[in-house]
Amino acid sequence: MKKFVSLIFAASLLLSCDDGDIIVTDFNFEDPQLNWCGDTQSQVLYKINNTGVNEAIAFRFDLNTPTLQFLLEEEGRKVIPLNGTTNQVIYRVFDGEVDRSYFCNEIPPVSPQVIEEFRSTTGGEVVIVSTVANATDHDGDGVPSIEEGMAELRDTDGDGIPDYLDIDDDGDNVLTRVEIEVEAENTVNTYPDSDNDGIPNYLDADDDNDGVPTRNEDWNLNLNPTDDQNAEGIPHYLNPEITDSFEVEGVRENEISRSFRYLVTINNLTLVNQGGDGEQIRLQDYELGVITSPNQTITLEPTNSDDNEEED
Ligand SMILES: [Ca+2]
Ligand SMILES: [Ca+2]
Ligand SMILES: [Ca+2]
Ligand SMILES: [Ca+2]
């Protein structure tokens, strides 16, 4: 047993305790990246280490746990109580290399064999904190969220979608990522300002200052004013000589791609050796690791559509 303990906790801070239990502040897993597998019933978050010792730590939890919704579709914090049965942390040491499929099979493989196993008791909790993974530019429009007035939820076009989540900030049906790439002599904070009125195109609902809103300079009514051009290829919405106006119904769909980063921490963890001697490992705050969800596309609906008679 002594040998085993020195192996696992080689890099951990050990504190002695008068009842013979071991209190450690950390495990010696180097990679913070968690792996994840599961089905509709249960989920497993795990990480493995085959350097020096073959070990793995896993958190198994039941999706039927009340209030639990893994893969939160918003930023937030979920607490999953450890109950000693369906929601449990398991730490194992093996007699050989353990591979990634180990925890994902219904029936564990014959090898490697488990030589030590600790399981969590009732008490303690797992905390999952989710944050948006692409938090520097939430809507991916090329303008950083901090510049889009995220703190004060600035909403330039007043459609109810704040600029940092709005792929068309001025609601003129020319996407922001297109408006910031237009060639123009004048700029505001490096962003093109075609009509030189001090408002960059991506925040200007009338880009050529001809009195006709850009969204109405959409001759073919396809919700995209960029493809209505003269023979020289200059779009009418950037041409103050052209002032034809069309009644345009609707706005571009506000689709954004995002993923979440989940930080998984275990508080007040007590692990008990299943070998029979009741040896315990206790950790106060253990950072199990980080997992990132796959990118998903979401559509944000405008909540305010004054200039748009049609209802989606
Ligand atoms: Ca908006
Ligand atoms: Ca726009
Ligand atoms: Ca302008
Ligand atoms: Ca115009």
Side-chain angles (χ1 to χ4, degrees), residues 21 29 40 48 51 93 137 178 185 236 257 272 280 283 300:
D21 292 347
F29 287 86
T40 52
I48 56 184
T51 309
V93 179
D137 181 8
V178 173
E185 270 180 42
H236 304 322
S257 165
V272 177
Q280 292 190 4
L283 293 107
L300 300 174

Side-chain angles (χ1 to χ4, degrees), residues 157 166-179 201-205 207 214 237:
D157 58 7
D166 196 335
I167 62 172
D168 178 11
D169 295 298
D170 52 7
D172 64 0
N173 283 339
V174 184
L175 301 183
T176 292
R177 70 180 154 73
V178 173
E179 301 216 69
N201 288 19
Y202 80 99
L203 297 175
D204 194 340
D207 294 290
T214 293
Y237 84 96

Side-chain angles (χ1 to χ4, degrees), residues 12 31 39 50 98 103-104 114 125 140 169 178 180 190 215 240 245 252 265 276:
S12 303
D31 186 1
D39 52 35
N50 288 311
V98 55
F103 285 100
C104 301
V114 177
E125 62 191 20
D169 295 298
V178 173
I180 65 174
T190 75
R215 56 174 284 115
S245 180
R252 296 286 284 266
T265 307

Side-chain angles (χ1 to χ4, degrees), residues 89-307:
V89 177
I90 300 162
Y91 172 77
R92 286 179 181 151
V93 179
F94 303 88
D95 65 357
E97 283 221 349
V98 55
D99 74 33
R100 281 169 160 240
S101 64
Y102 182 87
F103 285 100
C104 301
N105 294 325
E106 190 81 10
I107 300 157
V110 180
S111 80
Q113 286 199 328
V114 177
I115 51 177
E116 290 285 347
E117 178 174 273
F118 286 73
R119 285 177 179 261
S120 63
T121 57
T122 300
E125 62 191 20
V126 173
V127 179
I128 301 179
V129 174
S130 69
T131 48
V132 171
N134 46 337
T136 53
D137 181 8
H138 288 73
D139 55 8
D141 67 359
V143 183
S145 296
I146 198 161
E147 277 184 48
E148 296 215 74
M150 182 173 68
E152 64 272 20
L153 299 178
R154 190 181 76 206
D155 181 11
T156 299
D157 58 7
D159 65 353
I161 303 170
D163 287 5
Y164 82 99
L165 297 175
D166 196 335
I167 62 172
D168 178 11
D169 295 298
D170 52 7
D172 64 0
N173 283 339
V174 184
L175 301 183
T176 292
R177 70 180 154 73
V178 173
E179 301 216 69
I180 65 174
E181 296 295 336
V182 162
E183 279 188 36
E185 270 180 42
N186 301 293
T187 57
V188 177
N189 298 331
T190 75
Y191 298 113
D193 176 14
S194 296
D195 56 9
N196 197 24
D197 64 352
I199 305 168
N201 288 19
Y202 80 99
L203 297 175
D204 194 340
D206 178 8
D207 294 290
D208 55 4
N209 215 14
D210 64 358
V212 181
T214 293
R215 56 174 284 115
N216 294 339
E217 301 205 51
D218 183 4
W219 289 36
N220 61 9
L221 308 176
N222 69 345
L223 301 182
N224 180 12
T226 66
D227 61 4
D228 306 284
Q229 310 174 340
N230 67 9
E232 286 79 49
I234 300 168
H236 304 322
Y237 84 96
L238 292 175
N239 185 349
E241 309 291 315
I242 307 283
T243 56
D244 299 70
S245 180
F246 300 86
E247 201 56 47
V248 175
E249 291 191 355
V251 290
R252 296 286 284 266
E253 197 160 45
N254 201 79
E255 270 191 348
I256 65 174
S257 165
R258 71 175 165 196
S259 67
F260 288 92
R261 177 184 183 275
Y262 304 94
L263 173 64
V264 185
T265 307
I266 311 172
N267 296 330
N268 300 319
L269 175 66
T270 302
L271 290 169
V272 177
N273 191 333
Q274 304 299 295
D277 63 1
E279 181 190 9
Q280 292 190 4
I281 300 170
R282 282 189 259 146
L283 293 107
Q284 283 215 310
D285 307 292
Y286 175 58
E287 200 172 293
L288 185 64
V290 169
I291 190 158
T292 305
S293 70
N295 268 318
Q296 55 177 163
T297 301
I298 60 166
T299 303
L300 300 174
E301 301 290 345
T303 55
N304 184 1
S305 49
D306 282 348
D307 54 356

Side-chain angles (χ1 to χ4, degrees), residues 50-119:
N50 288 311
T51 309
V53 60
N54 304 114
E55 60 183 344
I57 187 164
F59 171 47
R60 269 181 205 282
F61 58 100
D62 196 329
L63 280 183
N64 296 324
T65 303
T67 75
L68 174 65
Q69 185 197 357
F70 188 63
L71 282 185
L72 311 169
E73 291 185 352
E74 55 189 23
E75 294 195 303
R77 184 175 184 273
K78 287 276 179 195
V79 176
I80 305 166
L82 293 171
N83 59 15
T85 52
T86 51
N87 301 334
Q88 200 170 41
V89 177
I90 300 162
Y91 172 77
R92 286 179 181 151
V93 179
F94 303 88
D95 65 357
E97 283 221 349
V98 55
D99 74 33
R100 281 169 160 240
S101 64
Y102 182 87
F103 285 100
C104 301
N105 294 325
E106 190 81 10
I107 300 157
V110 180
S111 80
Q113 286 199 328
V114 177
I115 51 177
E116 290 285 347
E117 178 174 273
F118 286 73
R119 285 177 179 261

